[in-house]
């Protein structure tokens, strides 16, 4: 009788274990991406976005090369639409720019520097120019870590922005306090005709802690980095639905056209447990990458500063943020003794030391995805770039219209997704050769 009671008590536990095992076994096998059917020659510095047109041509944003080009359907013939040369400088005056599908077969190129959006037709010709929705949001329209903007079924521009923390007044002692970080970001719907906007939803974002130290008139701001934040993400699907990817329990909620939200089931995932040594290794590797990036940016700045006498500042773009660093020279109002190269040479430039959260504050399981991982394909599915790799290629989870996992796809090594067409995906390829090329691959 005692044995019977123990068995019955164990049944709920066994049921939970069986359910968990069943969910894990429900994972589709990881498969390779379909056949690569076309490839361009490596003529670009980068491939940040690809816009597939109905006639088979593709428009490519070469964000590092500061140009927008068009390939024909064979990816063999390339035509420059805009670049930074004198003839088209006004059409690409920025180091960064965004590319997104517009009405029918037209495309918008967003230039945050001029705060304008150029309309490109199917022949690669620039037509009229529109202003960006809001000046403070221009940099959020370029795609990448902030998500990929687009237009919903009502023609409203959908994009993610940030909530800017309020500036706190100086305290009684005159010292400035850092504002509290904000851990959520709004998804905006903007009507270009009426210039009206509303907030469709909020997602959880990383909120690094900012620290400020003051020594007389000198202020130094440092940021405490968490290399594995658990955040949400978002994507606009081909039918105009907004997908909200939740990081805490890894599921996809759908914001429907009528304003309702459909909560999706948890997505099965092969979670990777992180030991204490794993967490230390993550911090160490992140530190090395960030230090290398900072050194590269600093070297670039030092090379550019001697021509500018006096003091000033320059913005460095890298990873998911921008950092403005100041510099000064002897003739510009102070500073240490000038470096070799003349009285107007840069004296020195220092970056604050990198600060990381304690390893104990990192999650016990590696997050399923990172910021900017989600994007919709041309067939109504959602692709999520996961934290998993197979043979050097990243693994994407493919989610259907019911927010269910239907496929897991491994990209070839050295590839990133730059855009989609019906049944195909466009890849940016950097394989060690000079330059970057575009490839068109079948999804299956």
């Amino acid at each position: 009788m005692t044995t019977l009671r123990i068995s019955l008590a164990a049944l709920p536990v066994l049921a939970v274990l069986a359910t968990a095992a069943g969910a894990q076994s429900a994972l589709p096998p990881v498969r390779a991406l379909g056949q690569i059917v076309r490839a361009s020659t490596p003529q670009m510095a980068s491939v940040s976005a690809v816009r597939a047109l109905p006639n088979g041509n593709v428009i490519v944003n070469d964000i590092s090369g500061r140009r927008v080009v068009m390939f024909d359907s064979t990816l063999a013939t390339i035509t420059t639409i805009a670049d930074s040369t004198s003839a088209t400088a006004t059409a690409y005056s920025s180091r960064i720019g965004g590319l997104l599908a517009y009405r029918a077969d037209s495309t918008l190129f967003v230039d945050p520097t001029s705060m304008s959006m150029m309309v490109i037709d199917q022949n690669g010709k620039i037509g009229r120019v529109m202003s960006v929705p809001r000046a403070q949001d221009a940099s959020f329209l370029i795609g990448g870590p902030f998500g990929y903007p687009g237009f919903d079924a009502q023609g409203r521009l959908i994009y993610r922005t940030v909530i800017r923390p309020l500036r706190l007044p100086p305290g009684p002692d005159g010292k400035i306090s850092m504002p509290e970080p904000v851990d959520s970001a709004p998804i905006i719907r903007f009507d270009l005709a009426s210039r009206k906007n509303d907030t469709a939803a909020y997602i959880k974002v990383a909120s690094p802690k900012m620290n400020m130290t003051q020594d007389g008139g000198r202020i130094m701001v440092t940021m405490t980095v968490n290399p594995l934040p658990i955040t949400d993400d978002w994507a606009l699907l081909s039918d105009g639905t907004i997908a909200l990817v939740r990081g805490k329990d890894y599921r996809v909620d759908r914001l429907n056209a009528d304003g309702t939200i459909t909560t999706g089931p948890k997505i099965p995932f092969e979670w990777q447990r992180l030991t204490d040594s794993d967490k230390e290794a993550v911090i160490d590797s992140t530190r090395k990458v960030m230090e290398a990036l900072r050194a590269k940016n600093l070297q670039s700045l030092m090379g550019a500063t001697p021509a500018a006498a006096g003091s000033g500042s320059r913005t460095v773009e890298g990873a998911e943020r921008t950092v403005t660093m100041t510099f000064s020279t002897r003739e510009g109002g102070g500073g240490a003794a000038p470096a070799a190269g003349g009285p107007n040479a840069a004296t020195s430039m220092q970056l604050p030391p990198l600060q990381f959260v304690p390893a104990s504050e990192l999650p016990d399981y590696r997050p399923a995805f990172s910021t900017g991982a989600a994007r919709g394909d041309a067939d109504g599915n959602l692709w999520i770039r996961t934290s998993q790799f197979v043979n050097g290629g990243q693994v994407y989870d493919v989610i259907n219209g019911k927010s269910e996992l239907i496929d897991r796809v491994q990209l070839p090594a050295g590839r990133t997704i730059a855009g989609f067409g019906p049944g195909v995906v466009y890849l940016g390829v950097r394989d060690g050769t000079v330059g970057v090329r575009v490839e068109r691959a079948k999804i299956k």
Side-chain angles (χ1 to χ4, degrees):
M1 195 68 178
T2 301
T3 303
L4 179 61
R5 285 197 297 269
I6 294 176
S7 300
L8 289 175
L11 285 178
V13 178
L14 294 175
V16 170
L17 293 176
T19 300
Q24 198 72 5
S25 64
L27 278 168
V30 176
R31 67 169 180 86
L33 186 66
Q35 178 186 4
I36 296 173
V37 294
R38 293 286 180 182
S40 72
T41 55
Q43 304 178 60
M44 291 165 290
S46 65
V47 177
S48 60
V50 170
R51 158 77 159 124
L53 300 177
N55 61 6
N57 294 346
V58 293
I59 299 176
V60 180
N61 186 16
D62 181 356
I63 199 168
S64 298
R66 297 181 62 186
R67 62 177 183 157
V68 179
V69 300
M70 173 181 284
F71 283 96
D72 68 357
S73 60
T74 67
L75 300 184
T77 303
I78 185 172
T79 304
T80 298
I81 297 175
D83 60 18
S84 58
T85 63
S86 57
T88 56
T90 56
Y92 205 141
S93 59
S94 173
R95 284 189 58 192
I96 57 176
L99 199 69
L100 57 150
Y102 191 40
R103 297 173 180 171
D105 52 10
S106 63
T107 304
L108 285 184
F109 176 74
V110 182
D111 181 5
T113 298
S114 63
M115 296 185 184
S116 60
M117 302 188 294
M118 278 69 74
V119 181
I120 304 172
D121 67 19
Q122 64 174 344
N123 300 313
K125 302 298 182 182
I126 297 178
R128 64 192 181 97
V129 179
M130 302 182 292
S131 61
V132 296
R134 301 190 298 186
Q136 68 269 28
D137 293 343
S139 60
F140 298 101
L141 301 177
I142 63 174
F146 299 108
Y148 297 86
F151 291 86
D152 66 6
Q154 288 74 42
R156 295 170 297 186
L157 178 59
I158 311 298
Y159 64 95
R160 196 210 100 174
T161 183
V162 297
I163 300 175
R164 291 169 173 81
L166 296 175
R167 294 179 178 270
L168 301 178
D173 56 358
K175 291 187 176 181
I176 302 174
S177 299
M178 293 298 297
E180 289 294 324
V182 181
D183 64 356
S184 63
I187 309 297
I188 301 297
R189 292 182 293 214
F190 191 94
D191 189 309
L192 295 179
S194 66
R195 310 299 292 182
K196 294 180 179 180
N197 70 88
D198 71 313
T199 299
Y202 289 89
I203 60 173
K204 179 178 174 55
V205 297
S207 55
K209 182 180 179 182
M210 307 298 291
N211 305 294
M212 177 186 293
T213 57
Q214 301 181 56
D215 181 10
R218 181 184 179 188
I219 299 176
M220 177 177 289
V221 178
T222 59
M223 179 176 64
T224 302
V225 179
N226 181 346
L228 290 177
I230 299 176
T231 61
D232 296 340
D233 205 1
W234 75 281
L236 182 66
L237 304 182
S238 59
D239 63 356
T241 301
I242 300 176
L244 306 171
V245 189
R246 306 302 187 185
K248 185 176 181 180
D249 49 6
Y250 195 29
R251 70 175 195 273
V252 176
D253 297 340
R254 297 169 64 89
L255 179 58
N256 306 306
D258 59 3
T260 61
I261 293 182
T262 303
T263 300
K266 289 186 178 181
I267 300 172
F269 189 73
E270 295 175 337
W271 296 97
Q272 178 190 351
R273 185 172 181 82
L274 298 175
T275 64
D276 292 343
S277 58
D278 290 334
K279 296 176 183 180
E280 293 286 357
V282 167
I283 291 177
D284 290 342
S285 61
T286 304
R287 187 189 303 275
K288 290 179 181 178
V289 170
M290 293 184 67
E291 289 286 9
L293 177 63
R294 281 158 41 111
K296 180 180 178 181
N297 288 332
L298 183 60
Q299 182 180 14
S300 175
L301 287 170
M302 290 291 284
T305 350
S311 62
S313 66
R314 188 175 297 270
T315 299
V316 179
E317 296 157 351
E320 299 179 6
R321 67 186 193 281
T322 60
V323 178
T324 300
M325 298 186 295
T326 60
F327 57 89
S328 62
T329 62
R330 169 71 68 176
E331 290 192 357
N344 291 334
T347 56
S348 65
M349 299 181 71
Q350 286 187 334
L351 295 175
L354 286 172
Q355 304 287 340
F356 287 85
V357 299
S360 59
E361 292 187 16
L362 297 187
D364 292 331
Y365 290 86
R366 186 181 296 274
F369 59 89
S370 57
T371 304
R375 59 192 309 168
D377 66 13
D379 303 305
N381 297 316
L382 173 68
W383 288 56
I384 303 173
R385 184 185 66 242
T386 72
S387 55
Q388 296 178 332
F389 285 80
V390 174
N391 297 326
Q394 287 192 304
V395 175
Y396 279 75
D397 283 352
V398 182
I399 313 298
N400 66 8
K402 298 180 180 179
S403 299
E404 299 169 337
L405 177 65
I406 59 171
D407 204 359
R408 292 197 295 163
V409 181
Q410 172 213 339
L411 298 191
R415 272 77 171 174
T416 57
I417 291 180
F420 290 93
V424 298
V425 59
Y426 290 89
L427 308 171
V429 185
R430 187 185 299 275
D431 56 5
T433 59
V434 177
V436 179
R437 67 177 183 272
V438 179
E439 290 179 344
R440 179 192 295 132
K442 294 181 178 179
I443 290 179
K444 294 185 178 180

